[in-house]
Amino acid sequence: MMRLVVENGPHAGKQLDIQVGRSTIGRAPDSTLCLANDPSVSRSHLEVPNSGQEVTIRDLGSTSGTFVNGVAAPSQQTIHAKHGDRLRLGQSIVRIDSVASNSHAAPPPVVRKTDGKSCFQCGSSFSMFGARAKSHEFPALCNQCAGQTLVKLERFRRSLQGEINMWNGAPSHLRDRVTVRASEAGLDVSLALSRSADIAGSFLQRVLAFLLQDGQLDEAEEKIFFEYMSALNVSEQHIPSLVGQVRHYAFLRELRAGTLPTIRPSAMLPSAEIAHIEVPAVYFRELSSSYRRHTGSFLVTNSRFIFTQTDAPFEVALSKVLGITLCPPNQFELQLARRQGTGVYQCDQAFYVVEVARAALEFHLRHRVLQQSSSRAIPPDIKAAVWARDGGRCVECAEGDYLEFDHVIPFSKGGATSTNNLQLLCRRCNLKKSDRI
């Protein structure tokens, strides 16, 4: 018989004997081995079929992947499992043991229990004051043990910072190095990483900027980002802005693949017409010497643009649309083959309106945007040098989100892909600069 032992993570110490049949691991409550407190584990992450003759494992297409002895397991492929194998799922490390050979296996982790009256680490009873008083920062420890832990944590943070400053290896190898660093500092890796979220967050920001150097994030790059999150025990709650950027580019990727959102519009549409996006907007209609504001609702469907709920409604077929351009902040310009409706619109979701509208136009006209030339690719050493020089901030507005590598002299105008001709810009400043020098 084989047994699963959770060595590390929120469920450390948990065990499960693998019965003949199909066992599953995941966050779902009906999983045979439920790891509900590990946010990096998928609901249905892994299955462990046991035929009675052999035990195998199969990753079920999890978001963060499964690593067997530090090597990524191919998704949806069956792999033979043996005694001593260690599986990493999110923040958890699960060891496979053979019960028959348990005398030779490493003992399961000892989970010390405390009644709240003694130190979790040294076992001394808490006193009212002094070194053995309960620590405010680590309530399970006395002040003396807490002080020692803080020294270890500072040592680990310095070593972690040095490890990831110029890291360019695989996420699984990074996790192995981090585990070694934590062991050298005498710390549990989960505790060490939980107190180093700021360092991990800065590193993940740099990883995402490097992945976005071409302005797009494909599925493989998205998986790499989440693998780094898992390697550093970082949950989505720790870096909501970065995860939001990843979701944003995933949305754009779906749009460019022709998968447009579907909504229920406020206006009545023919049964064959599909609404994609509808937002409150203000239309600035140009007069001979001024502008007139018209407040209404801008709607994009699979066959037309509609401006409704206003005193100046209009609709135009997609075939009559010449172009739509983003005009930061929160504006877009619509160019039509007629005067009515042509002009500038203002709304809170201008960027998404433009992207969805362009996707609708491309799908309608059976047109797909050509991929950028691979010659625009930026070598890793140049990206690292530009990132370090610009301090991981937009050189125009000092923002740290949605960063992109921009050619000062545009690539389309002969600009070189070199350290001197590259700079960090946030997406808004990059759009504003466009292809100007």
Side-chain angles (χ1 to χ4, degrees):
M1 179 182 291
M2 304 289 274
R3 174 178 296 165
L4 299 176
V5 180
V6 183
E7 284 191 326
N8 196 13
H11 297 274
K14 197 170 185 177
Q15 300 185 13
L16 172 72
D17 289 337
I18 306 174
Q19 305 297 329
V20 175
R22 178 179 180 270
S23 300
T24 58
I25 306 176
R27 285 190 297 107
D30 58 350
S31 298
T32 316
L33 178 59
C34 180
L35 304 178
N37 295 332
D38 190 336
S40 301
V41 171
S42 298
R43 287 182 57 82
S44 297
H45 196 110
L46 185 73
E47 72 170 1
V48 188
N50 181 6
S51 65
Q53 302 296 324
E54 66 173 0
V55 174
T56 57
I57 62 172
R58 185 167 71 93
D59 183 271
L60 299 174
S62 61
T63 301
S64 59
T66 301
F67 296 83
V68 182
N69 300 324
V71 179
S75 178
Q76 302 292 352
Q77 291 190 21
T78 300
I79 298 177
H80 178 73
K82 62 183 184 300
H83 166 71
D85 281 347
R86 283 174 168 78
L87 316 177
R88 180 159 63 80
L89 302 79
Q91 302 173 15
S92 304
I93 295 179
V94 180
R95 188 180 72 246
I96 299 179
D97 276 352
S98 172
V99 175
S101 59
N102 222 24
S103 59
H104 302 289
V110 177
V111 180
R112 186 194 298 272
K113 295 183 178 180
T114 177
D115 56 5
K117 299 179 181 180
S118 58
C119 176
F120 181 84
Q121 186 162 304
C122 68
S124 300
S125 298
F126 289 130
S127 60
M128 291 295 294
F129 305 101
R132 295 304 178 188
K134 182 181 291 189
S135 166
H136 291 293
E137 187 161 4
F138 301 97
L141 304 180
C142 64
N143 282 331
Q144 180 172 319
C145 292
Q148 296 170 354
T149 300
L150 286 174
V151 172
K152 294 176 181 178
L153 282 170
E154 184 57 35
R155 185 186 311 136
F156 171 79
R157 283 172 58 85
R158 287 197 300 269
S159 63
L160 176 64
Q161 187 69 71
E163 191 73 57
I164 68 177
N165 267 345
M166 297 297 290
W167 180 267
N168 59 3
S172 58
H173 297 159
L174 177 60
R175 177 65 186 204
D176 294 340
R177 292 299 304 161
V178 168
T179 302
V180 170
R181 295 295 188 184
S183 177
E184 292 172 347
L187 292 168
D188 173 76
V189 67
S190 296
L191 171 63
L193 287 173
S194 69
R195 292 301 181 113
S196 306
D198 56 332
I199 297 176
S202 297
F203 171 73
L204 290 170
Q205 184 182 53
R206 177 161 61 98
V207 168
L208 184 57
F210 284 15
L211 293 175
L212 289 172
Q213 61 103 359
D214 59 353
Q216 300 183 39
L217 191 72
D218 61 33
E219 292 185 13
E221 291 171 332
E222 180 180 333
K223 185 174 183 179
I224 288 173
F225 179 80
F226 282 113
E227 286 175 355
Y228 273 120
M229 279 182 60
S230 174
L232 294 172
N233 278 19
V234 177
S235 67
E236 295 188 9
Q237 291 77 14
H238 291 139
I239 49 171
S241 176
L242 294 183
V243 174
Q245 291 181 54
V246 173
R247 304 299 185 205
H248 163 83
Y249 283 99
F251 172 74
L252 296 184
R253 187 172 65 240
E254 292 181 354
L255 284 181
R256 289 158 185 163
T259 305
L260 279 73
T262 302
I263 64 166
R264 184 185 296 276
S266 58
M268 293 292 293
L269 300 177
S271 58
E273 190 168 9
I274 302 171
H276 298 307
I277 189 170
E278 183 177 20
V279 296
V282 177
Y283 169 41
F284 295 89
R285 183 164 63 94
E286 186 177 2
L287 303 178
S288 57
S289 59
S290 62
Y291 290 90
R292 179 172 294 176
R293 292 166 53 98
H294 300 280
T295 302
S297 180
F298 190 83
L299 173 63
V300 177
T301 78
N302 63 331
S303 62
R304 55 183 170 157
F305 292 168
I306 307 173
F307 190 56
T308 184
Q309 300 181 19
T310 178
D311 59 345
F314 77 88
E315 62 179 64
V316 59
L318 296 184
S319 59
K320 301 297 183 181
V321 178
L322 301 180
I324 182 169
T325 308
L326 185 66
C327 307
N330 300 326
Q331 292 183 345
F332 62 91
E333 183 178 1
L334 191 60
Q335 300 92 35
L336 306 177
R338 66 185 193 191
R339 183 177 179 83
Q340 184 188 22
T342 294
V344 175
Y345 295 75
Q346 183 173 7
C347 66
D348 291 337
Q349 303 179 54
F351 178 82
Y352 287 99
V353 172
V354 170
E355 291 292 341
V356 173
R358 285 175 176 171
L361 287 167
E362 291 168 7
F363 187 77
H364 178 74
L365 300 174
R366 299 296 190 269
H367 174 70
R368 289 292 177 267
V369 177
L370 295 176
Q371 298 295 319
Q372 290 181 326
S373 169
S374 60
S375 60
R376 293 177 64 100
I378 305 172
D381 57 333
I382 293 180
K383 288 190 291 185
V386 173
W387 182 274
R389 185 197 65 202
D390 294 345
R393 296 284 175 181
C394 173
V395 298
E396 293 292 336
C397 66
E399 285 292 327
D401 294 333
Y402 292 90
L403 295 177
E404 300 175 348
F405 289 89
D406 169 68
H407 287 74
V408 179
I409 299 174
F411 182 82
S412 60
K413 297 181 178 179
T417 302
S418 63
T419 305
N420 292 335
N421 193 49
L422 287 170
Q423 61 184 352
L424 283 178
L425 291 179
C426 67
R427 185 165 184 79
R428 181 165 54 183
C429 291
N430 202 0
L431 286 170
K432 184 177 179 181
K433 176 178 177 287
S434 186
D435 62 348
R436 294 187 295 273
I437 298 178

